[in-house]
Every structure is written in C-alpha cells, then in structure tokens.
Amino acid sequence: MLYTLVMMVCLTDVPQTCEEREQMVDGLAMHPGTAFMQAQPLVAQWIETHPGYFVQRWRVLPGRGS
C-alpha cells in the first residue's frame, strides 16, 4: 500500500529550526499499526543520511501524495 512518511526534522545546532519532510513509501502493510512499525527503519535510515538533523516526530499517512 502507498503511504506518505511525514517527519518533522530539526537542525541539531539550532533545534528551534524545524521543517516538515515528506517521503512517499510503497510496499508497507495495509494495517496502519503494522505500516508504522515497518516505517521505523526508514526514519532511522533518514537520520543516518542527514547528519546535522534530528527527527522530532514522525507519522505515516495512507494514500497521501505531494
């Protein structure tokens, strides 16, 4: 199922500077709770590939497109 991973990301050095990032994700389970658990490694991967940022919060929204 198609989902949008929505993350509120902030600069590590200036934590009050935040922005919302969206990433389309396909292949997650239809059940929202399971999809949320499956998306956790994607959030971890984003953190690893974006030094200088941290994820303040995140969610998975079904069927959403930018």
Side-chain angles (χ1 to χ4, degrees), residues 1-8 20-44 55 57-65:
M1 183 168 178
L2 183 64
Y3 286 91
T4 301
L5 174 61
V6 181
M7 298 179 288
M8 179 62 67
E20 190 170 272
R21 299 275 179 103
E22 295 186 2
Q23 177 181 339
M24 299 302 295
V25 180
D26 195 13
L28 299 181
M30 291 187 72
H31 185 275
T34 304
F36 184 83
M37 290 188 306
Q38 291 174 327
Q40 289 176 350
L42 299 174
V43 175
V55 176
R57 64 181 178 268
W58 63 278
R59 64 191 186 276
V60 178
L61 302 175
R64 184 174 167 184

Side-chain angles (χ1 to χ4, degrees), residues 10-13 45-54:
C10 306
L11 290 171
T12 303
D13 293 340
Q45 180 182 15
W46 191 94
I47 292 168
E48 288 178 10
T49 58
H50 293 83
Y53 286 90
F54 68 94

